[in-house]
Amino acid sequence: MMKARSMRADPVHRYEELAGYVTALIDNGTLRPGGRVPSLREIGRQRRASLSTALHAYRLLEDRGVIEARPRSGYVVTKGGPIALAAPELSAPPGKPVNVAVSSIMAKLLEHAGDPRLVPLGCAIPSAALLAAGKLDRFLARAARVKGSEYNTYTVPKGDLRLRQEISRRALRWGQVLPPEDIAITCGCTEALALALRTVARAGDTIAVESPTYFGMLQVIEALDLKVLELPTDVRTGVDLSALGRAVRGGAIKACLLSSSFNNPLGCTMPEEKKIAVLDLLAQQKVPLIEDDIYGDIYFGKERPVPFTALDRHDNTIYCSSFSKTIAPGYRIGWVASGRHMQRLLGNKLASTLCGPGLPQAALADFLSSGGYDSHLRRVRGTFEDSLHQMIRTIDRAFPKGTLVSQPAGGFVLWVELPAAVSTRALFHQALEQGVCFAPGDVFSASDRYGNCMRLSCGQSWDERMETGLRRLGALAGEAIVRKGHDNGDV
Ligand SMILES: Cc1ncc(COP(=O)(O)O)c(C=O)c1O
């Protein structure tokens, strides 16, 4: 089990009170992210505190990531605000392959995703308002008008050539030469993952995965009658290298399925050197790597993390991604890329869907070549980063003491570990009754783990409704702990 650490202490000192006062000004919107904070002298005068108390308070706020000192501007509110919560520790799955039997939670979450009455913390998709839908509509309408019935036929099995060329061009930005002929367009990343797994594994084989991992991957693995070996995973740097080494040297692993960056649900990203070590290890042991880079474009840092495939000197990677998290979940356009495995991938693609619909592919190719995608990405990245930070701040204030939370540097999901007394599966049903949806932790594992964890998604601009919903969730978790205390006779 992950170990819980205490979340924060109640303010007792004068400087802590002062820090609490400034935090409250940020929370109630008086001070805005990026905006100036009163100088030490001003705050000291306003709150009748000495200069050294004010300095002490501001240092505390700096340590918590609430404010930062800027040359010539004094102190400003950090974009997004405080991150005072500790992160969960390395996960500890059981260490042996297991059959997968994830419940029908995915269908349930998708069903709730479209329900406007629910606060949407459950499904990891960006809100319609963020998706530049109007622009895409125009490209779609234009493609239909200009090309007419030309698109109402089968496309080549690999999909629209112009779209594949656009994808190749984007790969060049992280230094990878990925020829369009090594790319096949798929029905979302889900089909790409399924094709990749069917290409390298047979029923009964074992696939090594991160733990916790995206339940859709588990669902695909289950549908193909494969087993999983869940690997201990660090919330920041991904799977534990020595555990992976032991697993693949044992000879029972048929393929390894990892996220390139900002894994769902932990948000972890391997540093480049670790990615290279994983690639060398897997190539040595002749275990192919399937990578899922669906969140790669949603990075908050200066540069996009480089996917495994671009670092792979062994041609041992099958790359999977899609446009679902950034621009068009409804277009169902993803892609799978590989040199060595392309023929077999394509055979599987032909057997599953023959080819994809041409018109959305053409519209997306036009949109990408217009240059609109980059400005769109810049906008959504800013929104996701801000929303995640707001979410962490709200959890800090409204969730029970002992709650731990991930601090991803990209994507738009958070992994929250609650005190052991909370069953998030029970909470899930209570929360739905109160109009809030989230994903309970146990569905991210095939081995009955993470029953006190949850994944929260925030694919939209932060607003009062999200905050109220999240607070409600925190209150329900608090009540569950009190109830459990009563049941155990602690009170
Ligand atoms: C890690 C990961 N891979 C794949 C998918 C599915 O992608 P798509 O909608 O493109 O099939 C998701 C969706 O949540 C995801 O989080």
Side-chain angles (χ1 to χ4, degrees), residues 19 39 104 134 172 198 212 330 363 397 458:
S39 70
S104 56
L172 270 183
R198 282 172 60 198
R397 290 193 304 270
C458 195

Side-chain angles (χ1 to χ4, degrees), residues 153-455:
T153 182
Y154 292 150
T155 63
V156 292
K158 282 184 185 171
D160 188 290
L161 176 61
R162 287 181 46 248
L163 180 58
R164 286 185 286 126
Q165 286 167 336
E166 288 300 329
I167 292 169
S168 295
R169 265 183 220 124
R170 298 194 73 78
L172 270 183
R173 297 178 181 201
W174 58 76
Q176 187 187 8
V177 178
L178 175 60
E181 59 269 24
D182 284 356
I183 299 171
I185 303 298
T186 56
C187 181
C189 191
T190 306
E191 193 195 9
L193 292 169
L195 295 178
L197 283 166
R198 282 172 60 198
T199 299
V200 297
R202 293 277 161 274
D205 287 342
T206 299
I207 311 298
V209 299
E210 290 142 342
S211 181
T213 197
Y214 164 55
F215 50 78
M217 282 185 190
L218 293 175
Q219 198 116 27
V220 175
I221 288 172
E222 178 179 351
L224 296 176
D225 269 334
L226 299 163
K227 293 184 180 140
V228 284
L229 176 76
E230 299 177 52
L231 296 165
T233 306
D234 180 82
V235 69
R236 288 175 198 83
T237 62
V239 292
D240 183 69
L241 201 49
S242 30
L244 178 66
R246 278 193 302 280
V248 295
R249 286 192 190 99
I253 303 299
K254 198 68 185 185
C256 189
L257 174 47
L258 301 177
S259 295
S260 320
S261 318
F262 319 125
N263 120 313
N264 173 8
L266 285 183
C268 56
T269 302
M270 274 189 196
E272 254 176 53
E273 322 78 73
K274 192 171 169 187
K275 280 184 177 161
I276 291 170
V278 167
L279 287 164
D280 290 344
L281 171 70
L282 295 181
Q284 243 171 38
Q285 299 301 319
K286 300 195 173 16
V287 174
L289 173 66
I290 300 170
E291 75 167 317
D292 178 341
D293 195 21
I294 197 166
Y295 288 98
D297 279 338
I298 310 173
Y299 54 94
F300 305 149
K302 287 201 174 62
E303 283 178 14
R304 187 197 197 285
V306 177
F308 285 97
T309 183
L311 302 167
D312 185 2
R313 293 166 297 168
H314 316 280
D315 191 14
N316 190 38
T317 306
I318 303 181
Y319 178 88
C320 304
S321 193
S322 83
F323 293 103
S324 301
K325 303 298 169 187
T326 53
I327 182 84
Y331 278 40
R332 307 306 300 133
I333 296 180
W335 66 100
V336 63
S338 163
R340 182 187 322 172
H341 298 286
M342 184 42 81
Q343 271 322 310
R344 296 201 45 224
L345 284 165
L346 210 55
N348 287 327
K349 164 81 191 160
L350 286 167
S352 69
T353 51
L354 196 58
C355 62
L359 198 55
Q361 293 180 33
L364 205 48
D366 288 341
F367 179 69
L368 292 174
S369 70
S370 78
Y373 190 49
D374 285 309
S375 52
H376 168 74
L377 282 178
R378 274 193 294 279
R379 195 164 57 84
V380 294
R381 271 184 217 123
T383 305
F384 292 147
E385 185 180 13
D386 190 50
S387 297
L388 280 191
H389 282 125
Q390 300 280 9
M391 202 143 96
I392 293 173
R393 287 170 52 188
T394 307
I395 293 169
D396 186 23
R397 290 193 304 270
F399 274 52
K401 208 167 172 178
T403 299
L404 306 175
V405 68
S406 59
Q407 283 152 26
F412 51 89
V413 301
L414 285 184
W415 182 248
V416 179
E417 185 181 331
L418 289 148
V422 182
S423 153
T424 50
R425 187 51 86 111
L427 203 65
F428 175 67
H429 298 291
Q430 290 163 358
L432 281 182
E433 276 169 24
Q434 298 209 13
V436 184
C437 189
F438 70 89
D442 58 354
V443 301
F444 296 88
S445 164
S447 52
D448 227 1
R449 307 266 137 169
Y450 314 121
N452 60 327
C453 299
M454 61 170 69
R455 186 199 68 186

